[in-house]
Amino acid sequence: MTTASLPLRPTLRFLWAHPAHCIALGFGAGLSRVAPGTAGTLWAWLAFLVLQRWFATPLQMGLLILASTLGGWWACTVTARNMGVSDPGSIVWDEVVAFWLVLWLAMPMGFWGQLAAFALFRFFDAAKPGPVAWADSLFKGFGWRGGWGILFDDFVAAFCTLLIIALWRFW
């Protein structure tokens, strides 16, 4: 893809131009004009609830999350390079896999618990307080290092979310 053909905002055409784009853009959730990270997290929540039917054991879901992390690393690396932006907001696979991790480790929870997990995760991912900001600054640029950086700060946001949930459950 030449620089002249790089989209300022990804389009449906860009989404379907490469399998990595489809994954990294959360199968279209990243095309949202408003808060693509939130749209990606909502998609992740719905997808997790559906996927639980086929990946019923904790081991199966854990393996799916691991595979999705590795495949997402590749997809985010390729898509960021093809967009010419090191960490574009339309790449939402980082939100997807990190929120799956939150739900996998925090379940079982009812709707209100899941909503609280969603709100906490979105806070940590968007506001980037403390450790999330640190993680966001570690791996920048293009290539495999930059692709990992896209994912890493969301994993730290997931860890912060899980820490708050654990403290809430403890008290």
Side-chain angles (χ1 to χ4, degrees):
M1 197 169 266
T2 66
T3 308
S5 65
L6 291 174
L8 295 175
R9 287 183 38 85
T11 61
L12 277 173
R13 181 180 207 157
F14 181 81
L15 175 78
W16 297 113
H18 193 288
H21 301 172
C22 192
I23 295 166
L25 299 177
F27 300 95
L31 298 178
S32 173
R33 293 186 178 277
V34 179
T38 300
T41 308
L42 284 170
W43 184 91
W45 187 2
L46 178 62
F48 184 88
L49 296 176
V50 171
L51 287 169
Q52 280 186 310
R53 296 176 186 262
W54 291 283
F55 298 89
T57 69
L59 177 60
Q60 290 171 330
M61 190 58 78
L63 291 173
L64 173 66
I65 292 168
L66 176 62
S68 296
T69 298
L70 296 174
W73 186 359
W74 163 78
C76 291
T77 301
V78 169
T79 303
R81 182 190 68 225
N82 289 348
M83 290 184 73
V85 180
S86 63
D87 190 357
S90 57
I91 289 182
V92 297
W93 194 252
D94 48 339
E95 280 87 5
V96 171
V97 74
F99 195 60
W100 283 356
L101 182 65
V102 168
L103 292 174
W104 176 57
L105 293 174
M107 289 295 236
M109 292 187 293
F111 173 78
W112 295 110
Q114 293 172 43
L115 183 62
F118 173 85
L120 283 168
F121 176 73
R122 289 308 304 140
F123 167 75
F124 284 114
D125 184 36
K128 300 197 185 316
V132 184
W134 166 80
D136 189 48
S137 69
L138 280 182
F139 304 101
K140 292 292 185 186
F142 294 98
W144 293 105
R145 179 179 172 87
W148 176 248
I150 292 170
L151 294 164
F152 185 61
D153 67 301
D154 290 83
F155 284 126
V156 174
F159 171 78
C160 292
T161 300
L162 288 164
L163 182 61
I164 297 298
I165 291 169
L167 290 171
W168 172 56
R169 287 180 174 173
F170 180 75
W171 279 291

